[in-house]
Amino acid sequence: MVNLLWSILNVALLLAFLYIFCRAALLVKRHIGLAAALFFGFGLLLVGCSKSGKGAAALSPVNLLTSVPKDAPLANATAIQRIDLGGTNKLELLAEYYTQDGTITKPRGLYATLSGFMLGHAWQPVTGWVGKRGNGLHYMAAINHHWDLLGVRVFTQAGEQFEGIMPLGK
C-alpha cells in the first residue's frame, strides 16, 4: 500500500510540474512570442528527457553465486521461483543445478530478473545463495529497493531478503 501511495505522489507531482511548465510556456508566448515559447518548451523537454533516460538500458542477469567459476560447464536442470514485490512488480529467480539420476548434486547458478512497472520504485539484485536441502533447493536472495521522487533517489532499503524452498523443474 505504501508503494502505491508513493507512486501516486510521484504522478501528482509530475502533473503539477507539467501544469506549471505549460502555464510558463503560455506566459512566454503571450509576452515574448511563439518562437520563444517553442524554444522554451523544447528546452524543458530536453532537460526532462536527459534525466529520465538514465536507466533505460536493460542489463543481462548476472550469476548471484560468486563462487562459481565463469568457465564452469552448464547445468542440466533449472528451477524458477516468482516472488511478488508489490503492484505489478515481480522478482524471478532462476536456479541452475546439476542432477544425476534424479537427485541434485550441486547448484551452479542463481539469476535474478525483475519485471513490472511502478513509478518511483526500482529494485536491484545484490547477492544470493542457493543450496541443496534434501532433494530440493533452498534459496536466499537480497535486493535493494530504491525509492525515487521524480527520478531523484530519496531512500534505499538495503538488503531486503527473500528466502524459501524452490520448486524443482520437471
Side-chain angles (χ1 to χ4, degrees):
M1 185 61 159
V2 175
N3 291 351
L4 184 61
L5 290 174
W6 186 260
S7 294
I8 291 171
L9 174 67
N10 272 278
V11 169
L13 286 174
L14 185 64
L15 290 175
F17 279 121
L18 186 63
Y19 175 76
I20 290 169
F21 290 145
C22 286
R23 298 291 294 177
L26 286 174
L27 185 66
V28 168
K29 178 185 172 203
R30 189 174 316 137
H31 291 286
I32 300 175
L34 181 62
L38 289 174
F39 184 73
F40 177 74
F42 284 130
L44 289 177
L45 281 175
L46 285 174
V47 169
C49 291
S50 67
K51 178 66 180 164
S52 65
K54 180 174 60 173
L59 299 174
S60 62
V62 297
N63 193 352
L64 297 177
L65 301 180
T66 57
S67 62
V68 177
K70 292 186 185 235
D71 58 348
L74 295 176
N76 58 0
T78 60
I80 296 176
Q81 178 69 32
R82 290 177 180 84
I83 301 165
D84 189 25
L85 296 174
T88 62
N89 295 290
K90 294 193 183 337
L91 169 67
E92 295 186 4
L93 298 170
L94 177 110
E96 290 182 313
Y97 58 94
Y98 300 105
T99 181
Q100 187 173 13
D101 299 326
T103 59
I104 299 170
T105 55
K106 71 176 187 171
R108 182 203 179 268
L110 181 66
Y111 300 90
T113 59
L114 297 154
S115 63
F117 175 75
M118 189 176 288
L119 191 63
H121 299 277
W123 286 270
Q124 174 189 21
V126 179
T127 188
W129 173 87
V130 65
K132 180 181 169 188
R133 180 172 287 175
N135 197 24
L137 292 173
H138 181 253
Y139 70 90
M140 186 281 302
I143 61 172
N144 288 341
H145 179 186
H146 304 293
W147 297 69
D148 300 337
L149 187 62
L150 295 177
V152 176
R153 183 134 311 140
V154 176
F155 179 70
T156 298
Q157 280 179 295
E160 283 187 66
Q161 290 189 3
F162 301 94
E163 64 179 294
I165 302 296
M166 192 172 282
L168 299 180
K170 302 285 184 210

